[in-house]
Amino acid sequence: MVKIPSPRRLFRSRSKSTVGSGGSVDMCAMVAEHEKIEWEVRPGGMLVQKRRSPDDDLDDVETILVKVSTGGGWQHDVSIDATATFGDLKVMLSLATGLWPREQRLLYRGRERDDGDHLHMAGVQDGDKVLLLEDPAVTERKLRSTTLAQLMGVPCHSFIQV
């Protein structure tokens, strides 16, 4: 078993800072304790700073809660990554509302936002409100298709009577 020496013994600073009680404190040790540096010994015997795993990086990701209200009075609370785009928010809202992302328009602070705009760059913070509107062109197309379907559904008289 390999005994790992304390980082305090490895990195001693020549410049010592004095504490009010008269004792001296190692500056490198203070930095190491402050940053919570973890050490590991590699197979060759080299002492190095421990690597961070991708799972540790996921803990650093900030998620925010965005309140999305629709024109019909509905409100949805969506938890999303702070660095996500408005397009990502549309995809999450499509699951809740049933509207395809291309049928949605998102307004934040009075301006329609593009799908490529990032939430944090637009200034969206935790608890902010975003307005979701259905695209008027899509609404018109749906209305036109339903009236056409109703007309086609009318029973027709046959030309030839047998």
Side-chain angles (χ1 to χ4, degrees), residues 142-157:
K142 282 183 182 179
L143 182 62
R144 208 176 313 141
S145 66
T146 55
T147 55
L148 185 62
Q150 287 175 352
L151 290 175
M152 296 300 266
V154 175
C156 299
H157 299 286

Side-chain angles (χ1 to χ4, degrees), residues 23 25 40 70 74 107 111 119 121 123 136 156:
V25 176
E40 68 180 350
T70 61
W74 293 91
L107 298 171
R111 292 180 50 202
L119 297 174
M121 295 300 284
C156 299

Side-chain angles (χ1 to χ4, degrees), residues 1 3 6 10 15 17 19 23 34 54 57 60 65 72 76 86-87 97-98 106 116-117 119 127 134 143 149-150 156:
M1 183 165 120
K3 186 175 179 182
S6 169
L10 289 176
S15 63
S17 149
V19 181
H34 176 68
D57 293 337
D60 294 341
L65 183 71
H76 303 281
F86 280 92
T97 61
L106 292 177
D117 293 345
L119 297 174
E134 188 174 358
L143 182 62
Q150 287 175 352
C156 299

Side-chain angles (χ1 to χ4, degrees), residues 58-131:
L58 292 177
D59 295 339
D60 294 341
V61 174
E62 180 184 356
T63 57
I64 57 175
L65 183 71
V66 179
K67 296 177 182 178
V68 181
S69 61
T70 61
W74 293 91
Q75 184 169 346
H76 303 281
D77 293 333
V78 179
S79 180
I80 192 167
D81 180 21
T83 58
T85 62
F86 280 92
D88 297 335
L89 182 60
K90 283 183 178 183
V91 170
M92 293 189 72
L93 286 171
S94 67
L95 301 172
T97 61
L99 291 173
W100 289 95
R102 67 177 178 268
E103 299 173 353
Q104 300 174 8
R105 293 175 61 191
L106 292 177
L107 298 171
Y108 179 68
R109 292 189 179 166
R111 292 180 50 202
E112 182 178 358
R113 301 297 175 159
D114 294 331
D115 290 349
D117 293 345
H118 290 271
L119 297 174
H120 70 285
M121 295 300 284
V124 179
Q125 296 177 354
D126 192 28
D128 281 357
K129 188 175 182 180
V130 176
L131 185 63

Side-chain angles (χ1 to χ4, degrees), residues 31-69:
V31 170
E33 287 178 13
H34 176 68
E35 294 180 2
K36 303 289 186 201
I37 297 174
E38 297 178 15
W39 299 92
E40 68 180 350
V41 175
R42 296 276 171 86
M46 184 183 295
L47 181 67
V48 295
Q49 188 175 347
K50 197 173 209 176
R51 294 181 186 163
R52 295 183 61 174
S53 67
D55 295 334
D56 294 340
D57 293 337
L58 292 177
D59 295 339
D60 294 341
V61 174
E62 180 184 356
T63 57
I64 57 175
L65 183 71
V66 179
K67 296 177 182 178
V68 181
S69 61

